[in-house]
Amino acid sequence: MAHDLMRGVGGGKPFLLMEQSPSVSNWHDYCALKRPGVMRLWSWQAVAHGADSVMFFQMRRSIGACEKYHSAVIDHVGTGDTRVFREIAALGKELEKLGDATLGASVEARAAVYFDWDNWWALIHTAGPTTDLDYKEQILDYYRAFYDLNIPVDFVGAEDDLGGYRLLVAPVLYMVKEGYDEKIRRFVADGGIFVTTFFSGIVDEHDLVVTGGYPGQLRDILGIWVEEVDALPRDKENSFIYNGSRYPARLLCDLLHTEGAKALASYQEDFYAGMPAVTVHAFGKGKAYYVAARSDAEFYNQFLQDVCKDDCGIWPLLMQTRGVEVVLRKNEKGSYLFLLNHNDAFSRVWLEDGCTDMLSGEYIHGGREIKLAPKDVRILKKE
């Protein structure tokens, strides 16, 4: 997510990874080594998500001060006869094989996640409704679902154009900046799909509450009115039924009324049992969804899979294989599919189309499974 966020900061252009630890970092409570293959895996992960460089800190391990135990390309022994040096040298040879093939390549996404730094800071400094509300964690809930589904996403801010996207997800859109509600309104009216969550549309860009009922300027788009917000302690949860399955409702539960929206799920417990927990509102040619409480990974995966398939025509890059990350970068030279096996065991991935392995030179016919070793990476140029 950090890589995709940095690509979004640059307007979708490639970025440069300036510093990566060759192995161990020195500021954690427990400074564990990067296991064999992990440095290579994470380096190619950065390239897959838009990096045009992977550089290391530090070249030679220092002998004093606060970073003397931070890993380096050349360790205190002063030679190249170390595991870390050999792994980095091997990565360098792979980079030579790849050459400039992926330089300048873009990650094409039809789904976008809205991320706003002012919104984050405003949430940090607001008093209530819960000290457990972490904007980054709410973003990660939705990002992780896209990641697990092998669906690429871009991060966008208030100033970015939404014209190329079918789906915009804006978790905890607490602060709605001047004019951004109108941008969302046009996006949905023109056929876009908008998803937001609890504690959204509360304040303007000056952190002043928008009166007239939550979610403020988003009320007509979402077709709901939020009357109250219930904060749940960490050891408490409600639940709701969505598509026949029960999912937890945690952290914050919005007590809302529909104003044209349709309820897709309802709370199951407490005095607000039966009130909507997930809604959808037809607006113009598009739809706007509201998820009124925090849930779990199973819900986010199922919910976003439904929205992408049924409303957006957005499909995964490849069939899911647990623990195998799939990313696609494109430029004028071709399309490059990155397969990254984060598992500690062999994994199998089904390929529909033929392709060439950029690191080995092997041609791989389509309509077959390929096997990935633990922590292995394959970079495949598609036909």
Side-chain angles (χ1 to χ4, degrees), residues 31-197:
C31 299
L33 299 172
K34 286 183 180 176
R35 269 38 189 177
V38 170
M39 180 278 301
R40 173 181 181 260
L41 176 67
W42 289 0
S43 297
W44 284 123
Q45 182 187 52
V47 174
H49 286 270
D52 274 354
S53 78
V54 178
M55 294 182 272
F56 293 95
F57 179 84
Q58 49 195 333
M59 181 64 182
R60 184 181 294 272
R61 211 168 194 179
S62 58
I63 61 172
C66 63
E67 291 181 319
K68 61 183 179 291
Y69 299 126
H70 192 288
S71 63
V73 177
I74 301 171
D75 211 327
H76 287 145
V77 68
T79 72
D81 190 23
T82 63
R83 175 182 69 88
V84 170
F85 187 94
R86 289 191 293 271
E87 286 196 23
I88 292 176
L91 176 64
K93 291 179 180 178
E94 288 186 338
L95 287 166
E96 287 182 341
K97 291 179 181 178
L98 185 65
D100 63 357
T102 63
L103 293 184
S106 62
V107 177
E108 293 188 356
R110 299 179 66 207
V113 176
Y114 179 81
F115 189 100
D116 184 73
W117 307 92
D118 297 317
N119 188 60
W120 189 1
W121 298 330
L123 283 166
I124 289 172
H125 293 293
T126 191
T130 173
T131 57
D132 290 342
L133 179 57
D134 184 325
Y135 180 56
K136 187 177 66 174
E137 288 299 312
Q138 307 313 310
I139 295 285
L140 185 58
D141 282 345
Y142 284 85
Y143 179 88
R144 185 179 282 117
F146 284 118
Y147 177 92
D148 289 342
L149 293 168
N150 291 334
I151 293 175
V153 297
D154 286 338
F155 279 96
V156 296
E159 71 285 351
D160 291 314
D161 180 43
L162 300 176
Y165 301 108
R166 287 283 296 126
L167 173 62
L168 175 65
V169 179
V172 195
L173 186 51
Y174 168 71
M175 174 183 286
V176 179
K177 292 181 173 177
E178 183 177 358
Y180 199 66
D181 62 304
E182 188 54 38
K183 182 177 279 191
I184 295 172
R185 195 171 283 107
R186 289 195 304 270
F187 173 76
V188 179
D190 290 341
I193 306 300
F194 175 59
V195 176
T196 191
T197 73

Side-chain angles (χ1 to χ4, degrees), residues 238-240 256 258 263 265-277:
N238 204 310
S239 65
F240 59 86
L256 64 86
T258 58
S266 300
Y267 292 115
Q268 297 298 297
E269 290 98 32
D270 215 330
F271 74 93
Y272 46 95
M275 295 188 76

